[in-house]
Structures are given as C-alpha cells and as structure tokens.
Amino acid sequence: MAKHIDRLSQTLEGLSERFTTWTGSTAAFITAFGVVVVWGLLGPTFSYSNTWQLVINTGTTIITFLMVFLLQRSQNKHALAIHLKLNELVAAMHGASNRLIDVEALSEEELRTLERYYGELSLLAGAEADMSLSHSIEEARNRHAAKFSRGSGAKT
C-alpha cells in the first residue's frame, strides 16, 4: 500500500510541477481567454440559457477548486526549498546566529522578539551615515579570501 501511495505522490508531484508551470504561461492565458470567447460567442446559439451559463460556471469552479490544491502543493515544495537554502547560508556563514536555522518553526512571539532585535540592528546601521563603514570593497575581498582559505577551493 505504501508503495502505491509513494508512486501516486511522485506522479502527482510531477504533474503538479508541469501543470503549474504551464498555467503560468502565455499559452495557458490564451487558451483560457479563447474558451471564454468561444463560450461568449455561443451565447446567442443557446439563447443565453441557464444551461449555457451553468457550463462556464461549473467548468471554472471545478478548475479553480483543483488549481488551489495543485498550486498549494507546488508552493509548499518551493517554500521548503527556499527554507533549506537559507538554512544552509546561515549554517555556513561565519558570525551568523545558528538560532535562525529553521526559524520558521519558532512561535510567533519568538519571531517578534527576533524582529525587534533585527529592527534595532537596522536602526543602528541606519544611523551610520557612511555606508562604507558596514559594506566596503575591502570587507568583500576579506570575506572571499577567508572563505577560500578554509578549504581547497569552492564548496559544493
């Protein structure tokens, strides 16, 4: 049973990726626009009946209902990937607080505490009139050199 669920999940993941990519394309918009135009042009043929209206209402409702779940699945996957990339950056960066790794798991109150902390840092940095005090070319070169002196070249 678990094999079937895993295979179904993988199939749905692939379909979700392809479908969400396609639905964000120009071709998808043109197709949807074309369907609405054809539906509108068929109005006189069907005397603008309740059935004619029901066809477009039912079709768009079903598509919208299914799209919500496919888009949410895709969004969840992309959000997880972004969180993992950010966690890697925090873990790899010298001087960064490891408390921020998996920060999305913190409570709302803990997040507000961190927000106040970084807000204060922002105010302090904003008080420095000279941007070169916190962001200089020399600092960038030193960071780059330090990163490559720790190992034998670029990290993978």
Side-chain angles (χ1 to χ4, degrees):
M1 181 72 173
K3 264 187 178 179
H4 295 298
I5 291 174
D6 287 344
R7 201 166 44 186
L8 178 63
S9 180
Q10 289 173 351
T11 301
L12 186 57
E13 181 177 345
L15 286 172
S16 176
E17 285 292 322
R18 286 192 299 276
F19 193 71
T20 54
T21 298
W22 182 80
T23 56
S25 70
T26 301
F29 177 79
I30 291 170
T31 300
F33 186 77
V35 166
V36 171
V37 168
V38 168
W39 171 78
L41 293 173
L42 289 174
T45 304
F46 293 99
S47 303
Y48 301 102
S49 68
N50 288 339
T51 302
W52 171 79
Q53 291 178 32
L54 189 60
V55 166
I56 197 73
N57 289 337
T58 302
T60 55
T61 300
I62 290 169
I63 290 169
T64 301
F65 179 77
L66 295 174
M67 284 291 296
V68 165
F69 294 100
L70 281 177
L71 291 173
Q72 186 61 52
R73 179 186 176 101
S74 181
Q75 180 65 32
N76 289 348
K77 181 181 176 184
H78 289 271
L80 178 59
I82 288 170
H83 288 294
L84 292 172
K85 289 176 184 180
L86 291 172
N87 288 345
E88 170 64 14
L89 291 173
V90 169
M93 188 162 187
H94 178 70
S97 172
N98 285 342
R99 291 182 199 167
L100 292 180
I101 295 174
D102 206 24
V103 70
E104 61 277 0
L106 296 178
S107 71
E108 194 170 332
E109 183 56 37
E110 291 168 321
L111 290 173
R112 294 210 188 284
T113 299
L114 285 173
E115 180 183 36
R116 287 190 298 275
Y117 171 80
Y118 287 107
E120 182 66 22
L121 280 180
S122 177
L123 288 173
L124 292 171
E128 295 175 359
D130 186 1
M131 181 62 99
S132 66
L133 293 175
S134 61
H135 291 81
S136 68
I137 299 298
E138 183 179 313
E139 178 190 12
R141 287 182 180 148
N142 289 339
R143 278 186 183 228
H144 179 75
K147 189 175 190 179
F148 281 86
S149 68
R150 284 188 223 137
S152 61
K155 291 185 177 182
T156 57

